[in-house]
Each structure stands twice: as structure tokens, then as C-alpha cells.
């Protein structure tokens, strides 16, 4: 292998890059293509100031000759350096190190993000919701017992990587068009089989793929609930994002208490008589945050009420693939109703990866036609790359096994999590048989919101009950998959004085 140095006139301020450098980087265990290796070597030299600002780098031809690589590889390496803001390309002159590439980040706290709202104009609950959303992205917390996703190392990285490679090897000309507003047809066809297994018979034409379940809920709200002040029914407690989405379009929320076997039907009937709401948003399986399931008798009564009061039931089945399996394990509304009065929503974000953001909704032909038209006017197409990746994962046949593993891991953790909370004097309102949430009462004298704000300053992200219901001020939702990390329980014990 050649060890010849660059010609002195082309030496980069004392830093030379030759074929031997690339070989040494590969032998050190560094992974990646030749493009990545060149990028690593040059970017490291720039950041360590071995290459000074404004210096002209060797030409593409010279770099290729000295390193024993193709000119295409050399050009792509320079393009990557340009993309990362380390190098700039000057037409007719070559590539030069950018001055901005060597700027040091000052040792000070990041500037505070300006708020869209006046701080004194927000109630404590809304302020905390906004703060949690910002902090979970900008400042990774020490622990995340209140987060609504599974740990990163629970992802099936091997199968996801294989699916991404398969998608990358496919015909990329499909990306030259916006695609189907209803989503990638092969995935909708695969979903048809998946839903059929749970007793819901739906044509692929009556499915719409979305960017997660939240996007599906938003599509329903914007398609059918566009009159400011219109009344809609939601469960109490319910997930915070649902509350925020519905309030953001000016809807009036009517709360229906969630009981152990489902919603309080007497309260539901009273609201229907007094306010004539059009929709009821309901969790049938693994209700967020309580983990409860809808009982069969409540499901049938709920469908009768929907028919009596001309009510649309929006069934959120986001956590359905984590529910217990077997005959009669769970009861869903959509299979009983076959989409006459039910819009069924599902998602893969909780089981595969939150970053893929693939969800779906199934509805009657009339409702799908209206929602598809609305979606086509407001969103040309859904996320084709993510949908193709999920299609590969479902088609490989490993998704079912992956969900079985998730259920098994959660089943192993749940008894210990309940015991640990009980030792702190925290009572779980319900002991679910699946899912990753525990809904627990910290004690009637505890202000969970105040406690959550205190823990947040210490780097512990929790989920106080008022995020889900203003009537549950002493409650907190715990994620059993993340509550063991980062000293979350000891910090909670100290804050409670227990």
C-alpha cells in the first residue's frame, strides 16, 4: 500500500492524507464506507486545528490519486464535508475550510426558547405540558418514568436495519411523485390482513395511513369537528395530546369518567341529552393512562348509545398490539360494529419505533372518502419511506414475535414495579395485565404537579395526573419500562419524604 505523502505544494497546512491513513482508520475498528473514513479524518483535522481556516483542500483528482480511491468517492467525501458546514465549494477555485467550522461553542447555558405565550397567561398544567415537550427534546432528562415510549434498546434494531436496506435497494423512482394520499397501498393491503385477524373486515380502500395515531386523531377532528365551540366527548382521564389537539381547534370538551370496565355510560347518556355531541374519543384496549380494557357488556351498551344519539365513536387502539392475546382477551368496538359508527385508529410508533411515525385509521366508505379528500387537499401524501419500512417489517413475519417479546418483558417487570411503588406508600388504582403504564395515587395530601415540577428541576421527567385529568391531582402515571433508570425511584422517595 502506498505511503507517499502529498506533494509539499498540496500539503494541507502540515496535514496530509494518503492511502495508509484510510487503512489505519479501518484497522482501528472504525466502521463506515471510504466516504465516511475520509470525512472522519478531514473533519477531525479541521476541528483539532491541524487544518486552518481558509485553506484550500486538494482537488478531487489529487485526493483520489493520493488515497488510491475513485474520483467519485473523493467527490462524495467533499460533498459530505460541505453538507456538515466544515468546507465550502467555490466555483472554479475548489474546496476551502470554512471559518465557521472552527468556531467554539461558548461554555454557557443554551439561550432560553422564546415562548409563544405570556408566562403569566398559562395555568400551571398547560405550562408544564409545554415545558415537558420542550425539555424532552432539548435537554435529555436523567430519568423518564413519565415518558410514553419504550426504551431505545427495546427496539428490534436488526430487523429495522434490514427493512431499511430492503427499502433502499428498491425502486426509488417511486419518490418522484407525491404518492397516494391514503398511503402506501401494499402496507394498507397488509393491514387488511392484520385487522382481519382481530375480526375487523375492511377493504384497503377504506384505510388511510397517517404519521402516527396523533395525526389520525387530528385528521378526524379537522374533517368532522370544525365548528368552534362544538361539544365532543372524551374520557377522564385521557392522554394529554388528545386534549391539546381538540382544544386547539376550539372544541368544547365534555368529560366521561373511566371506570374499571369502561366509560361511565350514565354520564355519557346525560351529556348526549344535554349537549348533543357528535363524537366520543375512547380507548378500548390498554387505556392511557390507567391500562384498563373495555368490558364486553360495556362495549355493546356503548354501541347502542351511539346508535340512539347518532354518535361517532373514535376508537384509539394505539397500544392494541401490546394487549394480551387469546380468545376474549380484549374487546374492541370496531369488530363488533364493522365501522358503521366507529372510526378505528392504530399505530406502530409504540411497538416498532416512535421515529418512524406510522399510524392508520379505518372507517366506513363515506367517512373515508371525506377524510381522504380533506387529506389530499391539506397533505399531498403521507410518509412513503416510513410506510415502506413498516411494510417490510410486517411482511418479514417478525413483527408478531417482536410484540410477543415486548409483552413478555413488560409482564416480568410489572409485579416488581407495583411492589416498588407500594413500598413508597403509592397505591396503584388498577393492576393491568398488559401494557407499560401504571396509574397510581401518591396520597391525597400530595400535589403531584408540584412534585413533578420539583423532580423536573433535578432531571427526572414524570407524568403528574393533572396532565390527564384535573380531577386526579394526587395521581401520577408510571412507565414500568423506564422507571428503573437514572435514579427515578430514589428521587421520588426523597421528594415524598418517604
Amino acid at each position: 500500500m502506498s505511503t507517499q505523502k502529498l506533494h509539499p505544494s498540496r500539503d494541507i497546512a502540515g496535514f496530509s492524507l494518503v492511502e495508509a491513513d484510510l487503512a489505519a482508520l479501518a484497522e482501528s475498528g472504525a466502521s463506515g464506507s471510504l466516504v465516511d473514513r475520509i470525512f472522519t479524518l478531514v473533519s477531525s483535522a479541521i476541528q483539532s486545528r491541524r487544518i486552518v481556516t481558509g485553506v484550500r483542500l486538494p482537488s478531487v483528482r489529487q485526493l483520489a490519486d493520493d488515497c488510491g480511491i475513485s474520483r467519485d468517492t473523493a467527490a462524495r467525501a467533499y460533498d459530505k464535508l460541505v453538507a456538515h458546514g466544515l468546507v465550502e465549494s467555490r466555483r472554479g477555485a475548489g474546496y476551502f475550510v470554512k471559518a465557521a467550522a472552527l468556531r467554539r461553542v461558548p461554555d454557557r447555558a443554551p439561550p432560553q426558547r422564546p415562548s409563544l405565550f405570556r408566562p403569566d397567561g398559562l395555568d400551571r398544567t398547560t405550562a408544564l405540558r409545554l415545558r415537558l415537550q420542550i425539555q424532552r427534546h432539548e435537554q435529555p432528562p436523567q430519568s423518564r418514568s413519565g415518558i410514553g415510549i419504550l426504551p431505545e434498546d427495546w427496539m428490534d434494531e436488526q430487523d429495522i436495519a434490514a427493512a431499511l436496506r430492503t427499502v433502499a435497494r428498491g425502486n426509488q423512482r417511486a419518490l418522484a411523485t407525491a404518492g397516494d394520499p391514503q398511503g402506501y397501498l401494499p402496507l394498507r393491503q397488509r393491514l387488511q390482513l392484520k385487522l382481519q385477524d382481530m375480526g375487523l373486515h375492511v377493504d384497503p380502500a377504506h384505510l388511510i395511513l397517517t404519521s402516527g395515531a396523533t395525526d389520525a386523531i387530528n385528521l378526524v377532528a379537522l374533517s368532522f369537528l370544525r365548528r368552534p365551540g362544538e361539544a365532543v366527548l372524551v374520557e377522564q382521564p385521557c392522554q394529554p395530546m388528545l386534549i391539546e389537539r381538540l382544544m386547539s381547534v376550539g372544541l368544547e370538551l365534555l368529560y366521561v369518567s373511566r371506570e374499571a370496565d369502561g366509560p361511565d355510560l350514565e354520564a355519557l347518556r346525560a351529556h348526549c341529552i344535554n349537549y348533543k355531541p357528535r363524537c366520543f374519543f375512547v380507548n378500548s384496549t390498554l387505556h392511557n393512562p390507567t391500562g384498563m380494557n373495555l368490558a364486553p357488556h360495556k362495549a355493546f351498551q356503548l354501541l347502542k348509545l351511539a346508535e340512539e344519539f347518532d354518535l361517532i365513536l373514535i376508537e384509539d387502539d394505539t397500544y392494541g398490539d401490546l394487549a394480551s392475546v387469546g380468545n376474549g382477551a380484549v374487546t374492541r368496538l370496531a369488530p363488533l360494529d364493522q365501522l358503521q359508527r366507529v372510526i378505528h385508529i392504530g399505530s406502530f410508533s409504540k411497538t416498532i419505533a416512535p421515529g418512524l411515525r406510522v399510524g392508520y385509521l379505518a372507517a366506513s366508505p363515506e367517512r373515508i372518502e371525506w377524510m381522504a379528500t380533506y387529506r389530499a387537499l391539506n397533505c399531498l401524501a403521507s410518509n412513503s419511506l416510513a410506510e415502506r419500512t413498516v411494510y417490510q417489517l410486517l411482511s418479514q413475519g417478525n413483527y408478531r414475535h417482536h410484540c410477543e417479546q415486548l409483552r413478555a418483558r413488560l409482564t416480568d417487570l410489572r409485579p416488581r414495579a407495583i411492589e416498588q411503588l407500594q413500598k413508597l406508600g403509592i397505591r396503584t388504582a388498577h393492576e393491568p395485565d398488559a401494557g407499560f403504564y401504571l396509574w397510581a395515587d401518591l396520597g391525597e395530601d400530595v400535589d403531584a404537579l408540584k412534585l413533578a415540577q420539583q423532580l423536573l428541576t433535578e432531571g427526572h421527567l414524570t407524568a403528574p395526573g393533572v396532565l390527564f385529568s384535573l380531577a386526579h391531582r394526587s395521581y401520577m402515571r408510571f412507565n414500568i419500562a423506564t422507571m428503573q433508570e437514572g435514579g427515578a425511584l430514589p428521587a421520588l422517595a426523597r421528594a415524598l419524604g418517604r
Side-chain angles (χ1 to χ4, degrees), residues 78-200:
Y78 276 158
D79 286 341
K80 186 171 182 178
L81 287 163
V82 171
H84 282 255
L86 299 170
V87 171
E88 63 180 332
S89 173
R90 300 177 188 172
R91 184 180 295 274
Y95 293 90
F96 295 80
V97 177
K98 290 181 67 173
L102 297 177
R103 290 178 185 163
R104 293 189 179 274
V105 178
D107 295 326
R108 58 183 176 83
Q112 183 138 9
R113 176 182 293 196
S115 174
L116 297 177
F117 308 92
R118 292 185 301 106
D120 59 350
L122 292 175
D123 61 84
R124 289 196 306 159
T125 305
T126 304
L128 181 61
R129 282 178 186 151
L130 293 174
R131 187 176 176 190
L132 292 179
Q133 289 298 321
I134 293 172
Q135 181 149 347
R136 64 183 287 188
H137 298 293
E138 292 189 347
Q139 183 181 343
Q142 182 178 333
S143 72
R144 307 172 299 165
S145 62
I147 199 168
I149 58 176
L150 295 174
E152 290 88 343
D153 57 1
W154 285 36
M155 287 195 313
D156 189 353
E157 296 182 60
Q158 183 176 351
D159 282 346
I160 292 175
L164 287 167
R165 286 193 295 270
T166 301
V167 172
R169 289 195 298 266
N171 180 12
Q172 304 308 324
R173 291 193 174 185
L175 300 178
T177 61
D180 193 329
Q182 288 186 230
Y184 186 49
L185 178 58
L187 177 55
R188 286 189 281 131
Q189 292 170 332
R190 184 64 188 80
L191 279 173
Q192 178 187 31
L193 301 177
K194 182 178 184 298
L195 295 173
Q196 186 173 308
D197 288 341
M198 71 179 201
L200 176 57

Side-chain angles (χ1 to χ4, degrees), residues 193-464:
L193 301 177
K194 182 178 184 298
L195 295 173
Q196 186 173 308
D197 288 341
M198 71 179 201
L200 176 57
H201 303 282
V202 56
D203 191 275
H206 305 149
L207 287 163
I208 295 178
L209 301 181
T210 61
S211 296
T214 304
D215 183 43
I217 289 172
N218 194 49
L219 179 59
V220 171
L222 294 177
S223 298
F224 298 109
L225 303 167
R226 294 177 294 169
R227 292 179 297 178
E230 184 172 3
V232 294
L233 296 162
V234 297
E235 295 179 288
Q236 187 179 56
C238 68
Q239 58 145 318
M241 191 61 73
L242 174 62
I243 297 173
E244 302 291 354
R245 283 296 175 106
L246 297 180
M247 291 182 67
S248 70
V249 292
L251 300 174
E252 180 184 353
L253 305 188
L254 304 175
Y255 295 97
V256 179
S257 296
R258 179 78 182 209
E259 300 174 334
D261 56 357
D264 181 346
L265 297 184
E266 290 303 316
L268 177 62
R269 171 179 288 277
H271 283 323
C272 288
I273 293 173
N274 294 328
Y275 299 98
K276 296 181 174 52
R278 190 174 185 187
C279 295
F280 179 30
F281 292 81
V282 59
N283 273 149
S284 54
T285 57
L286 298 181
H287 171 257
N288 181 11
T290 66
M292 299 173 181
N293 291 323
L294 182 65
H297 70 279
K298 274 282 178 80
F300 283 105
Q301 293 176 57
L302 182 54
L303 289 172
K304 286 184 178 179
L305 279 175
E307 182 177 5
E308 180 181 351
F309 293 101
D310 193 21
L311 195 63
I312 301 174
L313 303 177
I314 295 90
E315 179 180 42
D316 184 355
D317 196 33
T318 297
Y319 301 90
D321 288 343
L322 295 174
S324 300
V325 295
N327 293 332
V330 296
T331 302
R332 294 179 174 89
L333 295 167
L336 297 175
D337 173 74
Q338 292 299 316
L339 304 179
Q340 295 302 305
R341 294 192 174 276
V342 176
I343 296 176
H344 182 80
I345 292 174
S347 175
F348 297 101
S349 297
K350 299 296 182 181
T351 50
I352 297 179
L356 280 176
R357 307 306 307 157
V358 175
Y360 59 91
L361 58 81
S364 65
E366 297 78 17
R367 295 193 180 104
I368 280 290
E369 181 180 7
W370 178 250
M371 286 188 287
T373 301
Y374 189 91
R375 186 169 182 79
L377 293 173
N378 291 272
C379 176
L380 291 179
S382 47
N383 190 336
S384 178
L385 287 176
E387 291 167 3
R388 290 166 189 265
T389 302
V390 171
Y391 167 74
Q392 292 297 328
L393 289 167
L394 267 61
S395 299
Q396 289 166 6
N398 293 331
Y399 177 70
R400 188 189 300 270
H401 178 63
H402 172 63
C403 290
E404 290 174 357
Q405 289 181 317
L406 292 179
R407 287 193 291 268
R409 295 182 74 169
L410 291 167
T411 298
D412 289 340
L413 286 174
R414 194 171 296 106
R416 184 173 64 161
I418 293 173
E419 181 182 1
Q420 289 173 319
L421 292 177
Q422 288 175 342
K423 286 181 178 179
L424 295 179
I426 300 174
R427 180 181 60 85
T428 52
H430 170 72
E431 296 187 10
D433 61 357
F436 49 85
Y437 293 139
L438 290 176
W439 183 238
D441 189 352
L442 306 183
E444 61 180 16
D445 60 335
V446 177
D447 185 339
L449 176 59
K450 184 177 180 179
L451 188 74
Q453 290 171 320
Q454 175 186 335
L455 289 171
L456 188 59
T457 63
E458 301 174 13
H460 301 286
L461 182 63
T462 59

